[in-house]
Amino acid sequence: MRIKWFSFVRIAGLTSVLTYHFFKNAYPGGFIGVDIFFTFSGFLITALMIDEFAKNGSFKLLSFYRRRFYRIVPPLILSVLIVVPLTYLVSPDYIVGLGKQIAAAIGFTTNYFEIATGGSYESKFIPHLFVHTWSLAVEMHFYITWGLIIAIFTFLIRHFEHNRLKGQRVFRWIIGITSLCFAGASSYLMMIQSAGLTDYSKVYFSTLTHCFPFFIGATLASLTGIKDVTNVFNKMLQHANKWVYTFAIVLTFSFLFLLGLKLQFSSRSTYTGGILVASILSALSILFARCLHAATPNVAEPKLATFIADISYSMYLYHWPLFVIFSKLTSVPIAVLLTLLVGVPCSALSYYVIEPYVAGKKLKWHVNTKVAKTLKISFASALTCLVAVSLYTVNGAPSLTSLDRSLWIGGINQSVDQMQTTKNIVLASTTGNSNKEKNIPKGVSIIGDSVTLGTRSYLGQHVTDSSIDAKGERTMNLAYQVLMTEQKNGILRRNVVICIGTNALDGTNEELMKIIHDIQPGHHLILMTPYDQRAAPDWNSSKLAIFERELPHKYNYITIADWQKVAAAHPDVFAGTDGVHFGGRHSGDVIYAQTINQGLKNAAKTPLK
């Protein structure tokens, strides 16, 4: 039994996700499209379970798993095989760890793989091509667990309640109460585990914290249904008014759209209620669509809507890797167009041909025996070629991105330099001269984070007489410790450049003031403003840049090297990156060093502290 207007729920979810991935800055909360899908899946699967129990008095777990396998796995494998050859169009960085990505996707563990590797839609230098399959992992975990629980419920009811009608009512009550408890526990877990985080990927990707939309949908299914409906809901359907429910659906979708404009991936409010509200609104849209179906017995659902709903799952599989690849080759609008031109036909082929063929069902379109045989041979040949290309690509995939290699090399060089510095300190101490008796050494001390570390080799060659101490994820308080140690050991040079702020935490301004207060007389202090292409005005890094620009008016020995302004004027340097690192690109190295040198040039015109 196909429910009309459910297609629009699927379309709302797909549109939201695609818009978020294509135009993230314009629609920052579009990730709630996944929660629309989750809620709908929870409702649909549970309602079908209830229908099966009402019809047969049982629930066949293996048959349920088999249906889920044929619906999910073949399109997933096909999408992987089609995408992998396209990676030859872009940098080898995009196939780093490809074998692990594919294994995680097909093994339905992408969500925990991304947690373990620090992956995210929001902050990844080179985004994983299959990061979007995290949602399939959560969905599969739900199907496996929920199917097993339902099988246990039906087994117990069949053995302890012999009245079939009463058993069906008990079954609904158990499902409703259990679903509500699971939904409450999961949403509460997301709320409490999001406390104190700066990167929310852990609670976003985790099955335990993000499964509650499924159970909200399941709760709705226990109260309503598809074929087998409750008495209360049946009376509601009998009095359904198509105009009332049409308006209700439009209103609900409007609220979801506004919520997508409001929510931010990096805001805790998203995890303390935002996603929960999105899931409840999704459940309401499902309820209203079910009622509208009953109110419009003689109205057909638009064929275009049915088509988009049919291919929505496959399109979800294709859109992200295709867009990642195409957006590195051309502008975003053209990349979107290419993604749709390739993704839609592949999705239609998957749903109408490949999936029925693999499942042993009749094709959606009738073809004669000769044509069917030709199609089978062609499909087998193409599949063999795709598998061969994929295996070859996985085998040759590099283990590190250009950024990782740059940071690794920078870290090695820095360790060597620090060993030499330590040697000099020890030798100086054996001469009997204390550091305090020596003049402040000339030159430049650069204290930075991962951005500085990535360009360390170039900086050492192009910033005269410089020493560089940089480390990934360094915050201002850690930079203060480095500065104090160098100052204590008498190796802090006359010009001190602080390249910190991308990882700005609450209290960063206060930590910077400690540096300003505790740096000894005889130094210039050059502050490199942080740059993050994604940063909104209310981000700590943005606030820090504003704060730093005000300091030269109060302290005449402070100079600004405005990296934020320079970097924003060179967006090409950050094309295809996380918007913070430029991954050892020569053009990035050049403008980064130029910015520091300009700051040093300006500092030379100001007095020492």
Side-chain angles (χ1 to χ4, degrees):
M1 178 181 178
R2 181 161 189 149
I3 302 298
K4 295 176 298 185
W5 320 119
F6 273 179
S7 294
F8 287 91
V9 178
R10 287 191 174 120
I11 292 171
L14 181 65
T15 303
S16 183
V17 171
L18 264 60
T19 306
Y20 168 62
H21 287 158
F22 293 160
F23 310 105
K24 186 167 57 179
N25 292 335
Y27 197 54
F31 50 82
I32 62 172
V34 170
D35 299 289
I36 297 175
F37 279 128
F38 282 0
T39 308
F40 183 75
S41 294
F43 169 84
L44 184 62
I45 291 302
T46 306
L48 292 176
M49 290 172 169
I50 292 172
D51 286 347
E52 181 178 347
F53 186 73
K55 180 180 179 180
N56 304 321
S58 63
F59 171 70
K60 296 180 179 179
L61 180 62
L62 293 181
S63 296
F64 170 72
Y65 285 160
R66 188 182 302 111
R67 290 193 299 270
R68 293 297 88 206
F69 174 86
Y70 284 128
R71 181 68 185 96
I72 294 175
V73 177
L76 173 60
I77 294 177
L78 183 65
S79 68
V80 170
L81 294 176
I82 289 177
V83 164
V84 170
L86 296 176
T87 61
Y88 286 93
L89 298 175
V90 292
S91 164
D93 282 347
Y94 288 87
I95 60 171
V96 169
L98 185 63
K100 293 180 180 179
Q101 291 187 54
I102 293 174
I106 297 177
F108 299 102
T109 57
T110 297
N111 58 334
Y112 292 113
F113 172 75
E114 294 299 329
I115 290 173
T117 58
S120 172
Y121 286 126
E122 298 279 324
S123 56
K124 192 75 175 176
F125 177 72
I126 298 294
H128 287 164
L129 290 175
F130 303 108
V131 61
H132 66 309
T133 61
W134 74 269
S135 62
L136 269 69
V138 178
E139 189 164 3
M140 186 60 80
H141 300 165
F142 166 75
Y143 291 151
I144 293 173
T145 306
W146 193 230
L148 184 60
I149 291 173
I150 294 299
I152 293 172
F153 285 164
T154 56
F155 175 81
L156 293 175
I157 291 172
R158 288 177 61 193
H159 283 75
F160 293 99
E161 181 53 67
H162 301 292
N163 185 306
R164 187 166 178 175
L165 291 178
K166 187 176 180 181
Q168 291 176 17
R169 290 194 296 270
V170 171
F171 185 51
R172 279 185 178 273
W173 272 102
I174 292 176
I175 286 180
I177 294 172
T178 305
S179 299
L180 193 60
C181 290
F182 283 167
S186 176
S187 59
Y188 177 71
L189 197 62
M190 175 177 277
M191 292 179 187
I192 61 173
Q193 289 195 357
S194 64
L197 297 179
T198 55
D199 180 5
Y200 294 96
S201 297
K202 180 179 179 181
V203 293
Y204 184 74
F205 285 143
S206 174
T207 299
L208 293 177
T209 54
H210 207 151
C211 66
F212 62 87
F214 290 103
F215 292 109
I216 289 175
T219 303
L220 176 65
S222 71
L223 298 173
T224 58
I226 294 180
K227 286 184 178 180
D228 185 65
V229 298
T230 61
N231 292 331
V232 173
F233 186 59
N234 188 47
K235 292 179 181 179
M236 185 176 176
L237 294 178
Q238 291 174 358
H239 297 89
N241 182 289
K242 64 179 180 179
W243 299 114
V244 170
Y245 286 111
T246 299
F247 175 76
I249 290 175
V250 172
L251 187 64
T252 305
F253 285 159
S254 298
F255 281 132
L256 282 168
F257 173 74
L258 293 174
L259 196 62
L261 291 174
K262 180 69 175 176
L263 295 182
Q264 296 281 344
F265 190 90
S266 58
S267 173
R268 194 188 173 206
S269 61
T270 297
Y271 308 93
T272 56
I275 293 177
L276 178 61
V277 171
S279 302
I280 293 172
L281 288 172
S282 301
L284 288 174
S285 70
I286 295 166
L287 172 64
F288 298 147
R290 179 67 183 87
C291 292
L292 185 60
H293 170 83
T296 54
N298 300 317
V299 180
E301 185 179 65
K303 291 184 178 180
L304 179 60
T306 302
F307 171 75
I308 296 174
D310 285 345
I311 68 169
S312 60
Y313 167 60
S314 294
M315 191 61 204
Y316 177 82
L317 293 175
Y318 285 104
H319 85 280
W320 173 255
L322 290 178
F323 179 69
V324 168
I325 292 170
F326 291 141
S327 63
K328 309 316 168 200
L329 303 174
T330 183
S331 64
V332 169
I334 295 178
V336 171
L337 179 61
L338 290 173
T339 299
L340 295 176
L341 288 175
V342 176
V344 171
C346 287
S347 300
L349 177 68
S350 177
Y351 181 78
Y352 294 109
V353 180
I354 306 301
E355 292 177 47
Y357 173 72
V358 173
K361 298 179 180 179
K362 291 184 178 180
L363 298 179
K364 304 292 181 179
W365 300 303
H366 176 72
V367 292
N368 60 49
T369 305
K370 186 175 181 180
V371 173
K373 184 177 180 180
T374 302
L375 288 175
K376 289 180 180 179
I377 295 174
S378 300
F379 172 70
S381 300
L383 187 64
T384 301
C385 292
L386 290 173
V387 170
V389 172
S390 297
L391 291 174
Y392 176 80
T393 306
V394 167
N395 184 61
S399 57
L400 295 174
T401 65
S402 57
L403 173 62
D404 292 330
R405 287 194 298 272
S406 179
L407 295 177
W408 183 64
I409 293 171
I412 292 176
N413 292 336
Q414 178 163 289
S415 296
V416 172
D417 291 347
Q418 288 177 342
M419 289 174 65
Q420 183 61 44
T421 299
T422 303
K423 177 182 177 182
N424 294 338
I425 293 173
V426 173
L427 290 175
S429 65
T430 61
T431 63
N433 295 323
S434 67
N435 290 320
K436 293 182 180 180
E437 295 172 346
K438 302 169 71 174
N439 294 325
I440 294 175
K442 295 180 180 180
V444 183
S445 290
I446 301 175
I447 301 173
D449 53 19
S450 58
V451 180
T452 312
L453 182 60
T455 186
R456 188 183 188 283
S457 297
Y458 186 87
L459 281 183
Q461 298 170 11
H462 293 83
V463 178
T464 305
D465 195 16
S466 62
S467 68
I468 304 168
D469 190 309
K471 188 175 182 180
E473 299 185 1
R474 179 172 280 168
T475 50
M476 195 66 75
N477 61 312
L478 299 177
Y480 173 82
Q481 295 174 14
V482 173
L483 184 142
M484 290 296 102
T485 299
E486 291 193 4
Q487 185 166 269
K488 178 181 178 181
N489 292 325
I491 61 173
L492 188 66
R493 304 190 182 191
R494 182 174 298 174
N495 297 300
V496 180
V497 183
I498 303 295
C499 306
I500 299 292
T502 304
N503 305 299
L505 305 175
D506 293 340
T508 294
N509 293 2
E510 289 75 10
E511 292 294 335
L512 177 57
M513 289 306 300
K514 287 174 62 177
I515 290 177
I516 294 171
H517 180 267
D518 292 346
I519 191 171
Q520 293 176 352
H523 292 282
H524 286 125
L525 185 60
I526 298 93
L527 303 178
M528 189 89 149
T529 56
Y531 175 70
D532 188 334
Q533 200 173 51
R534 308 157 300 158
D538 61 342
W539 285 31
N540 286 336
S541 60
S542 300
K543 294 177 182 178
L544 175 63
I546 295 173
F547 178 71
E548 288 179 334
R549 293 190 186 101
E550 298 171 349
L551 294 173
H553 301 293
K554 301 177 183 178
Y555 306 93
N556 58 9
Y557 59 91
I558 294 179
T559 305
I560 299 299
D562 209 334
W563 173 239
Q564 186 188 64
K565 182 178 179 180
V566 173
H570 296 82
D572 53 300
V573 171
F574 299 92
T577 74
D578 58 359
V580 175
H581 305 88
F582 42 84
R585 290 177 178 172
H586 179 68
S587 55
D589 293 336
V590 170
I591 62 172
Y592 196 83
Q594 287 176 347
T595 304
I596 290 180
N597 282 325
Q598 184 60 49
L600 292 169
K601 184 178 179 180
N602 295 337
K605 302 174 184 178
T606 65
L608 298 168
K609 180 176 180 180

